[in-house]
Amino acid sequence: FEDASLGAAVCHNTLEALVSAEAFLAEVARVLVPGGHFLLGHTDLDTVVFNSAELDLTRRLVHAFADTQEEWMDSADGTIGRKLLSIANRCDFQVVETLAWVEIDTEFAEGEVADRAVKRIKDAVRRDHHHDLASQLEAWVEDQRVRAAQGEFLFSVNDYAVVLRR
């Protein structure tokens, strides 16, 4: 894009995969018009919560997922959501607003947010060869299904965003 050619931009769930957040934000600042807005958001994967009979196992599974770097990523940071304001304050933007919301799922339905999180946890455990966790994974997933059938299922994760102005 040409310099000062965009009035607004959005980036969600990408920043953690970049080598340099500062270089990316400098590029966004370059292409935004003066006064242009930028919404920078990210899920904080370290805040994933499941209602589970095995709290320690759940924490280990969540961290195996949150701390993993997939092959296509240049870097990874499962706590990036909570760092957005700090990152934004180091760049050429005015912080307009800081936002947070919780994604919540009370059903363990195919294709919904909790189901997608479980699939990504499974992928991370297998890909990164967490053999100690892999042997317990299916029993943990079955516990989630049982909880869902009993009306006790709960999944949540925090999302954060900053609205910035150039």
Side-chain angles (χ1 to χ4, degrees):
F1 298 101
E2 293 181 27
D3 292 356
S5 61
L6 300 176
V10 174
C11 175
H12 186 66
N13 283 351
T14 302
L15 198 61
E16 77 156 331
L18 304 177
V19 172
S20 173
E22 288 77 13
F24 171 72
L25 293 173
E27 180 65 9
V28 173
R30 181 190 68 77
V31 301
L32 283 179
V33 298
H37 286 86
F38 178 43
L39 176 67
L40 178 62
H42 213 291
T43 303
D44 195 299
L45 299 174
D46 189 57
T47 66
V48 168
V49 171
F50 283 94
N51 181 20
S52 174
E54 298 288 337
L55 183 58
D56 182 59
L57 175 60
T58 301
R59 287 177 174 157
R60 291 174 56 218
L61 288 166
V62 166
H63 284 230
F65 160 59
D67 297 339
T68 192
Q69 182 171 331
E70 297 187 36
E71 291 178 14
W72 56 267
M73 300 168 85
D74 291 325
S75 69
D77 182 352
T79 63
I80 194 81
R82 66 190 77 173
K83 298 174 183 174
L84 294 180
L85 181 60
S86 174
I87 292 167
N89 279 328
R90 294 192 306 263
C91 297
D92 278 342
F93 288 99
Q94 173 191 5
V95 175
V96 175
E97 188 174 6
T98 304
L99 307 163
W101 62 96
V102 177
E103 290 186 61
I104 191 163
D105 197 348
T106 58
E107 297 178 13
F108 197 23
E110 180 73 29
E112 294 299 322
V113 65
D115 178 60
R116 292 192 315 267
V118 167
K119 287 177 181 169
R120 291 178 69 193
I121 288 170
K122 285 180 171 183
D123 290 345
V125 166
R126 291 180 181 129
R127 180 188 58 248
D128 297 341
H129 307 290
H130 293 284
H131 301 295
D132 59 322
L133 296 176
S135 65
Q136 303 171 72
L137 188 56
E138 290 309 318
W140 179 81
V141 173
E142 183 58 27
D143 176 57
Q144 298 304 308
R145 288 189 184 106
V146 168
R147 288 178 180 278
Q150 296 171 342
E152 298 176 8
F153 179 81
L154 179 82
F155 164 88
S156 69
V157 63
N158 294 346
D159 278 291
Y160 299 96
V162 288
V163 178
L164 306 169
R165 182 180 305 124
R166 178 171 177 267

